[in-house]
Amino acid sequence: MSYRKTLKLLFGVAGGSAVLVFAAAAADSHGYLGEQRGDAASRWWRLTVLRAAQPAWSSASSHTPAPSGHAWDFNWDKRDPSALTNGKKKESATEDPGPEQDNSKPKATRNILLIRHSQYNLSGNSDKERILTPLGREQAELTGQRLAALGLKYDVLIHSSMARATETANIISKHLPGSEGPTAGSLAPDATNTHSRVSFCSSCLTGPGVELLSCDLLREGAPIEPVPPVTHWKPDAVQYHEDGARIEAAFRRYIHRADAKQKEDSYEIIVCHANVIRYFVCRALQFPPEGWLRMGLNNGSITWLTIRPSGRVALRTLGDAGFMPPDKLTRT
């Protein structure tokens, strides 16, 4: 066998074993296969070697991975108008939709930009002492500049009530057009309003600019025990039980399709924490939520979720921090 053919076998067999193929080519080049087995036997043996070198998934019947079998749940947020009418389940799938149901259909798209807080003082003994470092304040400025450069009309800026998220949000808000500055209102865990662009109570509105609100539900925590487990971080079962319920409640409040009354697409900023954002992403994309710790997010990074009126969800960016110089990137 020629040198060219040997190289073709070595590098051209997709997914094959290079060592096995190379050994077969070398043996054949010395005439061992032809001398001992005959030309026909030699060709058959080479074909057997090539087949053995192919990965199992490359057979004609399975060129692609098998689907998981889990269909997309269009009513994941319990707001699908085809499933509910005035809070009641439709009696018949063939029932003609009336004007009332048509008016209940969402028409706008929600864009939710999830921002991880900037670098903060890890040595603080309490939340009030865990404020941003000088680098963290630089990161928040860069994130604010990036959000402003996108040229979007932001409707609201909601942030976790923890000190590092609050400070990050206040710095970012200075860069947003029409912003009203420091925190103007708050949303406690027992608040009755459900978030959408038009559903805030009037006492939370501060003017024509971007609303700036604080929410306890968005505080950092342990959403669900991660799989696979890690050895460096092991909250107890009580923390998972308490934090998980709170963070799930935050997801249900903020991550859903638009209300039917919303006429225009919205752009909403949420400044919170890495664990919360990663859990939100898994839940919104209907991925196993226990996989949240398999992702990493830089401080000040932007994660962008888009929720269509139909209930479809798209992840436009995950942890985007490309707008920061390399020496400003941290993940604390």
Side-chain angles (χ1 to χ4, degrees):
M1 179 180 291
S2 67
Y3 179 72
R4 180 176 297 179
K5 290 183 178 180
T6 301
L7 289 179
K8 187 175 181 180
L9 279 172
L10 179 59
F11 298 111
V13 180
S17 169
V19 175
L20 184 60
V21 174
F22 182 77
D28 186 61
S29 66
H30 286 79
Y32 298 145
L33 301 180
E35 292 174 359
Q36 297 179 9
R37 297 172 176 265
D39 292 341
S42 174
R43 287 194 297 271
W44 175 87
W45 193 88
R46 287 197 298 269
L47 181 60
T48 302
V49 170
L50 291 177
R51 286 177 176 173
Q54 296 295 317
W57 49 261
S58 65
S59 62
S61 60
S62 57
H63 287 292
T64 58
S68 64
H70 300 291
W72 179 262
D73 178 11
F74 281 93
N75 195 30
W76 57 273
D77 58 353
K78 308 305 177 189
R79 295 166 184 258
D80 184 354
S82 65
L84 295 172
T85 303
N86 285 336
K88 297 182 180 179
K89 195 171 183 179
K90 282 181 58 177
E91 296 296 332
S92 172
T94 58
E95 183 179 319
D96 293 332
E100 183 178 351
Q101 182 178 338
D102 188 64
N103 292 335
S104 69
K105 288 183 178 180
K107 301 173 181 62
T109 295
R110 293 185 65 211
N111 295 274
I112 303 173
L113 289 85
L114 301 162
I115 314 296
R116 189 190 176 192
H117 60 77
S118 301
Q119 186 192 62
Y120 67 102
N121 174 28
L122 290 170
S123 61
N125 294 321
S126 65
D127 179 57
K128 291 183 179 180
E129 297 176 355
R130 294 172 187 148
I131 58 176
L132 299 186
T133 64
L135 175 57
R137 289 190 287 274
E138 285 187 67
Q139 292 170 339
E141 296 282 358
L142 291 168
T143 303
Q145 293 169 14
R146 173 59 176 169
L147 291 171
L150 291 176
L152 303 173
K153 182 182 179 296
Y154 300 106
D155 298 85
V156 65
L157 194 165
I158 307 168
H159 61 84
S160 157
S161 58
M162 298 187 82
R164 55 190 183 269
T166 300
E167 189 176 359
T168 301
N170 286 336
I171 294 174
I172 288 175
S173 70
K174 296 186 302 181
H175 296 274
L176 304 182
S179 173
E180 298 297 324
T183 302
S186 63
L187 293 173
D190 58 350
T192 56
N193 60 301
T194 300
H195 174 67
S196 75
R197 192 172 66 89
V198 296
S199 64
F200 284 113
C201 56
S202 59
S203 61
C204 293
L205 300 177
T206 59
V210 178
E211 305 166 34
L212 187 59
L213 303 170
S214 174
C215 181
D216 288 335
L217 289 177
L218 294 168
R219 295 172 72 89
E220 183 64 301
I224 187 175
E225 189 170 358
V227 176
V230 293
T231 57
H232 63 277
W233 184 72
K234 288 190 174 182
D236 55 34
V238 174
Q239 185 175 355
Y240 281 123
H241 179 71
E242 295 178 351
D243 291 352
R246 172 178 55 78
I247 296 173
E248 173 64 20
F251 173 81
R252 297 186 185 193
R253 170 173 290 177
Y254 296 117
I255 312 299
H256 55 78
R257 77 193 75 192
D259 186 89
K261 296 178 181 178
Q262 181 175 324
K263 303 303 180 184
E264 299 178 356
D265 294 350
S266 60
Y267 296 87
E268 306 156 36
I269 302 171
I270 299 178
V271 180
C272 54
H273 310 271
N275 294 359
V276 177
I277 294 172
R278 292 180 287 187
Y279 178 79
F280 280 9
V281 169
C282 287
R283 287 281 285 107
L285 297 179
Q286 299 187 23
F287 293 163
E290 63 271 17
W292 63 272
L293 198 51
R294 303 170 198 171
M295 296 177 277
L297 299 174
N298 287 325
N299 295 110
S301 62
I302 301 173
T303 296
W304 187 338
L305 285 171
T306 296
I307 307 177
R308 303 293 182 187
S310 64
R312 293 181 180 273
V313 180
L315 180 64
R316 297 188 62 173
T317 63
L318 175 65
D320 175 26
F323 51 87
M324 292 190 188
D327 61 338
K328 304 297 182 185
L329 295 175
T330 61
R331 196 177 289 183
T332 58

